[in-house]
Amino acid sequence: MDLLINTINSLAHKSGFVSFFMADGFKSLIMLFIACFLIYLAIKKEFEPLLLLPIAFGMLLTNLPGGGLFHPELFNAVDSNGMPLPINYLDVLHNGGLLDILYLGVKLGIYPPLIFLGVGAMTDFGPLISNPKSFILGAAAQAGIFFTFVVAAILPIFTLKQAAGISIIGGADGPTSILVASRLSPELLGSIAIAAYSYMALVPVIQPPIMKALTTKKERSVVMKPLRSVSKLEKILFPIIVTLVVVLLIPDTAPLIGMLMFGNLLKESGVVDRLVKTATNELMNIITIFLGVTVGATATASTFLTVQTLGIIALGLIAFSIGTASGVIFGKLMYIFTKGKVNPLIGSAGVSAVPMAARVSQKVGKEANPANFLLMHAMGPNVAGVIGSAIAAGVLLSVPLG
Amino acid sequence: MYAIRVLSITFTGLFVVFVGLILLIFIFYIMGKIGKNFHDKDSIKTETPIKKETLAQTQNDNKKVVAAIMGAISIYYKDKPFKIKKIEKQTVKRTRTLWGQTSIIKLTNNKIK
């Protein structure tokens, strides 16, 4: 009888349920509720479900007491003076759980560029090639990143590196945010990724009021000239030229821009259909699962339930809003300089968030003038925004932030 | 000192982003100028809700007919928006359109802005 009771006792003490009643156990419970809420948003509200669902489930897994799937201490070890120690990869391989091993892909910066490979293979840069002026709008919308960097740097709760990691949310580009955050502020990775993907899903809610506030109905009604046709040669030269120019200008952009443009070259070359299919389907789907679930796993109670997370959520909104506003303002400048030939609404698409932001431009333009068809015009700044945010990320990774 | 550092990073960052993308504008602007001479058979239209057809030959009619698909809607004629005042349906016999032998929307009283 005693043996039976001892066995039950031992099982009960090992049970995760008991952990909820131990010190800080309630925090894990709160994290589980947050994870379930994110799962709800991903499934019911379809908030970027492809990434939010894996992120939310990774969050759920990592906060299950006793699961031992993820050990942040393996990646964030510090010495007696509180200085970060280099990661002992052998230790990770010997003692790590499933998510620790998969997390190496984030830590070593492998997953985001591979996602960019798939994105490149799916993206048509034709609208950008036919209207290179769109690059200006793609650059303007990156103002959100740098404005947020200043605001976050002023706040006493963030270091300069953390400010840089947070500001990249304004690029509205998930893989870029994850790459920069994993390099500069890995302790905030979970919060930054969740904020970035949540706001990307909320682009149709955040952008229209800003776009309408900054433009008149006359400006929103502008019907733009159809884009010129783009030859196959131009489409093939585009990824090669962009890679050469951008990577030579800022070498730290090589992983993102290089893979983005490689994917695009595969697509435009027209001779490697099998590789294109793999890059856009199997490879991208596998990496999406690995990336999402491991980024979610970094959102442990100790790193997520902090004042910093609230700050990140607020700053993310500022970053998106300023990015949208600066894109529209530059669109207005182009409207003035071209004597009304450019619809300023396409500027908001410069924040990246492909193709959601371009669809928002189309929708708002159509509300003002039902005969308006801005989608293809907005795709130019939209894909320029991807390149722009990768350049901004390269800049933040290049400058010494101490 | 800290503020100066933050601002210098910010302005340098914005400057580099603009320089990089403006450099690309120049390259692709020039490429576009050259590219016009290189359009090959495989050239791809980046926007095609612009199907324009003239039935003058088949209908002995000087009216321009625009067939647009996918509910789309920006219709252009000679790079100017096409204002449709009145639309009446008319069955066209022995006229093969891109989408098969179907009824074509005939636009009358077309005015070009």
Side-chain angles (χ1 to χ4, degrees):
Chain A
M1 191 65 185
D2 277 354
L3 188 66
L4 184 66
I5 291 167
N6 280 341
T7 310
I8 292 171
N9 240 341
S10 162
L11 274 174
H13 275 95
K14 277 190 177 177
S15 148
F17 287 109
V18 174
S19 307
F20 288 137
F21 301 102
M22 295 168 117
D24 286 348
F26 72 96
K27 287 185 178 175
S28 299
L29 205 55
I30 294 171
M31 289 304 293
L32 293 179
F33 277 116
I34 294 172
C36 290
F37 178 64
L38 292 175
I39 290 172
Y40 165 79
L41 288 180
I43 296 172
K44 185 73 180 170
K45 301 288 177 187
E46 296 192 17
F47 273 27
E48 294 285 333
L50 283 176
L51 261 154
L52 197 55
L53 191 58
I55 286 176
F57 204 77
M59 203 168 160
L60 185 128
L61 287 175
T62 201
N63 287 291
L64 286 171
L69 285 171
F70 185 66
H71 303 88
E73 63 276 9
L74 290 174
F75 301 96
N76 303 321
V78 288
D79 64 15
S80 52
N81 298 322
M83 297 300 288
L85 290 168
I87 297 168
N88 184 344
Y89 289 103
L90 211 58
D91 195 24
V92 175
L93 293 173
H94 277 297
N95 304 316
L98 170 68
L99 297 182
D100 292 313
I101 309 290
L102 293 181
Y103 182 63
L104 289 174
V106 176
K107 200 69 201 170
L108 297 170
I110 295 168
Y111 296 153
L114 288 180
I115 293 269
F116 258 49
L117 175 75
V119 171
M122 285 195 289
T123 305
D124 177 11
F125 285 100
L128 181 59
I129 301 168
S130 64
N131 185 16
K133 289 193 288 286
S134 304
F135 274 118
I136 294 262
L137 299 173
Q142 307 316 316
I145 294 176
F146 293 102
F147 182 86
T148 311
F149 172 68
V150 175
V151 176
I154 291 168
L155 294 175
I157 52 173
F158 297 116
T159 64
L160 213 51
K161 278 187 172 181
Q162 289 173 335
I166 295 162
S167 65
I168 204 73
I169 296 173
D173 207 321
T176 309
S177 301
I178 289 168
L179 183 75
V180 174
S182 66
R183 295 263 176 93
L184 299 178
S185 49
E187 66 283 4
L188 302 180
L189 179 59
S191 313
I192 289 172
I194 289 166
Y197 281 108
S198 302
Y199 285 128
M200 276 161 65
L202 288 171
V203 158
V205 179
I206 297 169
Q207 285 197 320
I210 299 167
M211 294 159 80
K212 286 175 186 171
L214 292 173
T215 52
T216 61
K217 187 164 185 202
K218 187 187 166 198
E219 289 167 344
R220 292 197 295 275
S221 304
V222 170
V223 176
M224 293 176 69
K225 275 173 64 173
L227 298 169
R228 73 170 174 84
S229 57
V230 176
S231 70
K232 187 172 178 180
L233 178 66
E234 285 176 283
K235 287 193 167 191
I236 289 173
L237 287 176
F238 179 85
I240 299 167
I241 292 172
V242 170
T243 306
L244 289 172
V245 172
V246 176
V247 176
L248 285 174
L249 191 66
I250 311 141
D252 277 325
T253 58
L256 290 177
I257 291 291
M259 295 311 265
L260 179 75
M261 291 301 143
F262 175 48
N264 190 247
L265 184 60
L266 292 178
K267 172 179 177 273
E268 299 303 346
S269 68
V271 293
V272 283
D273 283 348
R274 281 167 49 194
L275 300 188
V276 173
K277 187 176 163 287
T278 301
T280 55
N281 292 292
E282 293 86 355
L283 180 65
M284 189 138 165
N285 292 341
I286 291 168
I287 299 298
T288 300
I289 292 169
F290 288 177
L291 183 72
V293 84
T294 49
V295 165
T298 62
T300 55
S302 58
T303 57
F304 196 84
L305 295 178
T306 59
V307 182
Q308 286 181 320
T309 302
L310 293 176
I312 291 166
I313 291 166
L315 289 166
L317 183 61
I318 291 171
F320 263 69
S321 305
I322 298 291
T324 303
S326 53
V328 174
I329 289 166
F330 265 73
K332 275 173 83 86
L333 289 175
M334 286 176 81
Y335 170 84
I336 293 164
F337 286 121
T338 59
K339 293 177 180 145
K341 286 181 183 166
V342 172
N343 190 319
L345 293 179
I346 65 168
S348 65
V351 296
S352 199
V354 183
M356 189 84 85
R359 281 191 201 143
V360 172
S361 299
Q362 157 73 9
K363 187 170 167 279
V364 178
K366 201 155 185 141
E367 278 171 18
N369 177 2
N372 221 342
F373 193 72
L374 289 176
L375 185 64
M376 293 310 286
H377 298 286
M379 280 308 291
N382 208 193
V383 292
V386 178
I387 299 171
S389 59
I391 295 177
V395 171
L396 291 174
L397 290 171
S398 317
V399 291
L401 296 164
Chain B
M1 195 65 191
Y2 180 74
I4 292 169
R5 195 170 162 215
V6 169
L7 288 176
S8 68
I9 292 169
T10 303
F11 287 114
T12 311
L14 268 174
F15 178 75
V16 172
V17 170
F18 270 94
V19 165
L21 294 181
I22 288 171
L23 197 59
L24 290 172
I25 291 177
F26 278 114
I27 292 169
F28 289 107
Y29 182 75
I30 294 163
M31 202 173 92
K33 290 282 176 198
I34 300 165
K36 280 181 183 168
N37 303 324
F38 282 98
H39 277 201
D40 47 33
K41 284 179 185 174
D42 295 329
S43 71
I44 299 154
K45 293 277 181 191
T46 51
E47 182 171 310
T48 48
I50 314 156
K51 177 68 186 157
K52 282 183 275 184
E53 282 187 5
T54 302
L55 291 187
Q57 299 90 339
T58 53
Q59 292 190 312
N60 194 20
D61 186 353
N62 282 331
K63 300 284 189 292
K64 304 286 185 282
V65 175
V66 178
I69 49 165
M70 294 159 59
I73 321 66
S74 295
I75 301 169
Y76 294 87
Y77 174 67
K78 289 185 179 173
D79 291 345
K80 289 184 177 172
F82 213 50
K83 192 171 183 182
I84 301 164
K85 286 214 165 172
K86 189 180 173 188
I87 300 173
E88 38 180 78
K89 279 191 174 177
Q90 180 181 311
T91 306
V92 180
K93 290 177 184 172
R94 291 190 299 279
T95 302
R96 184 167 287 280
T97 69
L98 190 61
W99 302 282
Q101 197 167 332
T102 58
S103 65
I104 293 178
I105 297 168
K106 184 189 174 193
L107 309 178
T108 58
N109 299 327
N110 295 320
K111 294 272 164 60
I112 295 165
K113 271 183 187 170

